Amino acid sequence: MKKLIYTVLVAFLVLGISDRCSAQQDPMFTQYMFNTLSINPAYAGHANLLEANLIHRSQWVNFDGAPRTQSFTIHAPLRKENLGLGGTVLSDKSGPSSQVGIFLDASYKLILDKSSLAFGLKGGLNLYKAELTALNPVDGSDPVFQADIVNEPLANFGFGIFWSAERWYLSASLPKLLNNELINEDLPNFEMNEERRHFFLGAGVVFDLNNYVKFKPTFLAKVVDGAPPSGDITANFLFYDKFWAGAMYRTGDAVGMIFQYEINKKLRLGYSYDYVISDLNSFSGASHEVMLGIDLGKPPKGEKSPRYF
């Protein structure tokens, strides 16, 4: 009986309690269109200057043990070689379970007639753990809850493709290729005890509505082993090349609003608000996401500002 309880608990911890339900493990961000490197290594160096993004996401604010996620990405081009280099640090906590990931990204860009095609590789480590001693079981003497579960770092790698022009982009990526076993304990074999492959397919385009307003629709489809596909559909408007405002819909999960303001040529501040429309609406509050973007250096001569992607 204890082994059964332990198996169910670990399955819950491994899957998490966020919009990573339906077997999705990796955290997702509403402002993905402003933080593409977090899911596609081929984006490394795309900005043609040093770019860094810091995001904090508080999900389901009134839900006990709700997910809290922080992500830091940084990347820059090596122009003479058409190479881009970058890195991602991710911290994600849901209840007593947490993960920390450190990944490096590298890309190679082919310059085409009116577009560019970049190929990227990602590699790094993930560390998962479950603080079982922080729980309050009915039987406080149960030995199952007397020690925490801490893994050795799990190596993984992935790849991506990013095809883009000034006004559109197509993105496809598989950030983690290996199905690492998460918990090396004497447990019954169950398929949730492993990292799941996440495949992302995205696209976006920009239209001029008039001299002062631009319209940028984007979408991001997510496919995870053993789960139904899901997706984000977003419509953003850019006013006076300074202020983004838009709305998003996440299939079967949430609707929301997105804002970003370009404080100056080097500093951007973004915010998003998600309202849950699934059955969890009765138990949880909204989700909030804050992003700080920093651009350092000068873009190539003739490149327009702001960048659309």
Side-chain angles (χ1 to χ4, degrees), residues 31 33-35 43 47 49-54 73 75 242 244 259-271 290-296 305-307:
Q31 299 178 78
M33 71 294 296
F34 299 120
N35 191 38
Y43 190 78
L49 44 71
L50 179 65
E51 179 184 67
N53 287 302
L54 179 63
T73 60
H75 63 111
K242 293 283 291 184
W244 291 97
F259 306 96
Q260 186 184 108
Y261 180 67
E262 186 179 283
I263 299 172
N264 53 46
K265 297 299 182 183
K266 298 184 181 298
L267 196 61
R268 294 165 284 111
L269 184 63
Y271 169 77
V290 179
M291 186 188 81
L292 178 65
I294 301 173
D295 295 340
L296 299 176
S305 179
R307 299 186 316 277

Side-chain angles (χ1 to χ4, degrees), residues 167 207-214 238-241 308:
R167 294 284 181 135
F207 303 98
D208 287 324
L209 298 185
N210 56 46
N211 291 334
Y212 309 105
V213 182
K214 296 178 176 64
L238 176 61
F239 301 92
Y240 295 94
D241 286 342
Y308 303 131

Side-chain angles (χ1 to χ4, degrees), residues 83-235:
L83 296 175
L85 298 177
T88 301
V89 179
L90 175 74
S91 174
D92 183 47
K93 182 173 177 59
S94 298
S97 66
S98 63
Q99 63 168 311
V100 175
I102 302 175
F103 284 84
L104 298 178
D105 305 280
S107 70
Y108 180 78
K109 183 188 297 184
L110 297 175
I111 306 300
L112 308 178
D113 184 21
K114 294 183 179 180
S115 63
S116 64
L117 181 62
F119 303 88
L121 293 175
K122 177 186 289 286
L125 300 172
N126 256 329
L127 176 65
Y128 294 85
K129 74 174 184 177
E131 297 177 341
L132 301 180
T133 56
L135 299 175
N136 295 310
V138 175
D139 182 2
S141 62
D142 192 326
V144 168
F145 301 97
Q146 303 305 308
D148 295 332
I149 299 173
V150 179
N151 272 97
E152 294 296 326
L154 302 175
N156 217 320
F157 70 95
F159 58 89
I161 301 173
F162 193 81
W163 185 26
S164 65
E166 180 187 342
R167 294 284 181 135
W168 56 265
Y169 78 92
L170 291 172
S171 171
S173 62
L174 187 67
K176 293 179 182 176
L177 188 59
L178 303 180
N179 286 338
N180 288 316
E181 186 174 280
L182 297 177
I183 298 172
N184 299 312
E185 296 287 332
D186 183 21
L187 288 172
N189 184 27
F190 61 102
E191 63 179 17
M192 291 177 289
N193 183 26
E194 63 181 14
E195 290 184 299
R196 296 294 189 92
R197 295 188 186 98
H198 293 55
F199 176 72
F200 299 98
L201 179 65
V205 64
V206 171
F207 303 98
D208 287 324
L209 298 185
N210 56 46
N211 291 334
Y212 309 105
V213 182
K214 296 178 176 64
F215 174 51
K216 183 176 82 169
T218 63
F219 87 90
L220 181 67
K222 296 162 281 187
V223 179
V224 185
D225 283 350
S230 63
D232 286 30
I233 302 172
T234 306

Side-chain angles (χ1 to χ4, degrees), residues 296-309:
L296 299 176
K298 292 183 178 180
K301 186 177 181 180
E303 184 170 292
K304 294 184 178 180
S305 179
R307 299 186 316 277
Y308 303 131
F309 308 111

